[in-house]
Amino acid sequence: MVPNRFLPVEHAVRVVLDQTEVDPEALSQVARRSAGERMTVPDPVADRVSYVFHAGP
């Protein structure tokens, strides 16, 4: 959980991650490992991070 004041920072991080080209072998390694652990990982790197925002300082 993070305060709402970090929402613009989160947006900026997502913009940067969406513009970043990740090594295909690294993506493949993550996919194999997550499958071995019976977990699904979204393809877009930015979608692999999530936060809960709350009102507050």
Side-chain angles (χ1 to χ4, degrees), residues 17-48:
L17 287 176
D18 284 340
Q19 302 300 316
T20 303
E21 184 176 347
V22 180
D23 179 11
E25 180 55 33
L27 291 173
S28 179
Q29 181 182 4
V30 169
R32 287 191 308 270
R33 184 171 179 178
S34 64
E37 296 179 10
R38 299 182 184 160
M39 302 259 325
T40 57
V41 177
D43 287 332
V45 175
D47 290 349
R48 298 176 187 188

Side-chain angles (χ1 to χ4, degrees), residues 7-20 44-51 53:
L7 190 54
V9 174
E10 170 61 12
H11 176 69
V13 168
R14 287 182 175 273
V15 168
V16 170
L17 287 176
D18 284 340
Q19 302 300 316
T20 303
V45 175
D47 290 349
R48 298 176 187 188
V49 184
S50 65
Y51 302 95
F53 292 96

